[in-house]
Amino acid sequence: MNTFLLTAARTTCALTALASGSAFATQYLSADEAQRAIFPEATTFKAQPLDLNAEQMKEVQKVSGLPARSVQWRVSSAWRGDTLLGYVVLDEVIGKYELISYAAGVNPDATIHQIEILTYRESHGFEIRNAAWRKQFVGKSAQAGLAIGEGITNISGASLSSAHVTDGVRRIAAVVQVALKK
């Protein structure tokens, strides 16, 4: 193969790699930044990894209407002095092709306090990071309002991302309800 064709082939491969979904990854917040954004009044965050047992997994599926998906959850509790403010649960869901990393802040009563998008890797659909869309989750529980069309509006052009994040948040609300609710 001549040098020109070899260079052209390498350039095409490089451009193809850059055009993949991962080339669009944007990290908005770290886990620590998300915790502080969700519970700014907290004085302490305590790592509280959660391992669900088989019975809890079944209960999460029953409460959320979704597969429990994971035994292990990355949870931190947020405290102001001796007062529990809530929990921050880190999770990832698939968008259309790539993972979306997000954090869900959950109140001690298992209602949603706030959600934050940490990393978005898709080429389209970044609108799920808009504050107005994320605000729809506040105050909702696994049984009430955490579904597309039932309290959460879909985003045109980001329908899979918005549906998958919504399902993920509903699953997290169920995990907190089943395993951590006070």
Side-chain angles (χ1 to χ4, degrees):
M1 183 178 265
N2 74 32
T3 305
F4 175 77
L5 290 177
L6 186 57
T7 301
R10 286 183 183 149
T11 302
T12 300
C13 288
L15 290 174
T16 302
L18 286 174
S20 72
S22 60
F24 297 101
T26 301
Q27 176 149 0
Y28 298 106
L29 298 169
S30 70
D32 288 341
E33 290 167 335
Q35 287 179 157
R36 288 190 297 278
I38 292 170
F39 290 107
E41 66 278 20
T43 55
T44 307
F45 291 96
K46 298 177 184 174
Q48 189 174 335
L50 178 63
D51 291 331
L52 300 178
N53 61 37
E55 186 58 38
Q56 288 172 320
M57 294 281 286
K58 289 178 191 173
E59 189 64 21
V60 166
Q61 184 166 338
K62 180 180 172 185
V63 169
S64 69
L66 300 163
R69 199 190 81 202
S70 180
V71 172
Q72 296 180 325
W73 291 87
R74 298 173 292 171
V75 179
S76 293
S77 52
W79 298 85
R80 182 178 56 228
D82 292 339
T83 304
L84 174 66
L85 300 175
Y87 305 95
V88 178
V89 183
L90 301 175
D91 192 26
E92 292 181 320
V93 293
I94 194 81
K96 183 173 183 178
Y97 302 112
E98 304 289 343
L99 289 175
I100 301 167
S101 302
Y102 68 100
V106 186
N107 297 313
D109 68 356
T111 59
I112 300 301
H113 182 76
Q114 182 175 327
I115 69 167
E116 291 291 339
I117 305 300
L118 278 61
T119 306
Y120 193 79
R121 298 170 179 91
E122 297 284 358
S123 61
H124 296 86
F126 56 87
E127 295 88 354
I128 65 166
R129 189 169 179 278
N130 290 346
W133 188 78
R134 292 181 294 110
K135 188 175 181 180
Q136 298 176 92
F137 291 85
V138 175
K140 297 192 170 119
S141 69
Q143 295 91 354
L146 282 177
I148 296 292
E150 298 175 20
I152 307 296
T153 57
N154 201 9
I155 298 172
S156 180
S159 55
L160 291 175
S161 295
S162 54
H164 295 166
V165 168
T166 301
D167 286 350
V169 172
R170 186 168 72 243
R171 185 181 294 112
I172 287 171
V175 166
V176 172
Q177 178 179 326
V178 167
L180 300 171
K181 185 177 177 180
K182 303 292 180 198

